[in-house]
Amino acid sequence: MDIDKNLIDDAAYQKATESGQRLLARGPVAKLARYVAGRIHVELDNGCAFEFPVAHAQELVNAKPADLRQVEVTAAGLGLYWPTLDADLYVPNVLKGVLGTRQWMAHIGATGGKAKTQAKSVAARENGKRGGRPSAKSMKVNS
């Protein structure tokens, strides 16, 4: 492979190549992705699968279903790419629940926190009677 010496030197190229090989070996990586009813479904090479709502992914939030159906698995399974949107997501980050910038993720969290349900109202009243939200110490799980 010819390398443009103005962009990267041999040592940096070798280091990046080795890093990529370690990442691929560690896995898991995507082997298939598809759009299904408002969600992106991803199958991994280890037999697991997961889905996420399109509305949670910053680059996909305003996309049309026809564009979302064009999803491709790229970069040896490390990427999801929508060519008609010129949008991509990095699979290791998606597995961690990272679907956009910090500001986007804060927005998604704030939106979820504003949800109004009967169960949430009852839980909030009960927590209020006990002095507010439980602390991390009081939420210990017995092993």
Side-chain angles (χ1 to χ4, degrees):
M1 171 179 229
D2 292 332
I3 301 171
D4 184 342
K5 298 295 184 184
N6 295 322
L7 297 177
I8 186 171
D9 64 23
D10 289 339
Y13 178 81
Q14 186 62 34
K15 184 176 179 182
T17 299
E18 290 168 2
S19 176
Q21 289 170 341
R22 283 191 305 274
L23 190 58
L24 289 172
R26 187 168 53 233
V29 295
K31 67 176 191 174
L32 178 118
R34 65 181 174 267
Y35 169 75
V36 181
R39 302 175 74 79
I40 301 298
H41 174 88
V42 181
E43 293 182 18
L44 303 173
D45 66 343
N46 64 1
C48 294
F50 69 95
E51 292 183 339
F52 61 91
V54 168
H56 287 192
Q58 184 175 11
E59 294 194 52
L60 306 178
V61 71
N62 294 316
K64 295 181 174 105
D67 292 324
L68 294 167
R69 286 186 197 97
Q70 302 304 313
V71 62
E72 300 173 3
V73 175
T74 61
L78 294 174
L80 302 177
Y81 180 64
W82 290 262
T84 57
L85 301 171
D86 194 26
D88 60 302
L89 294 173
Y90 183 55
V91 172
N93 283 349
V94 173
L95 287 169
K96 295 176 189 173
V98 178
L99 298 167
T101 63
R102 278 196 173 147
Q103 293 85 3
W104 176 257
M105 296 308 294
H107 166 74
I108 292 296
T111 301
K114 292 177 184 174
K116 305 278 188 214
T117 66
Q118 181 70 22
K120 186 174 178 181
S121 296
V122 170
R125 281 193 292 279
E126 289 301 314
N127 283 338
K129 290 177 188 176
R130 296 184 188 124
R133 290 183 176 203
S135 68
K137 288 181 182 179
S138 69
M139 294 177 56
K140 284 186 179 177
V141 177
N142 295 331
S143 314

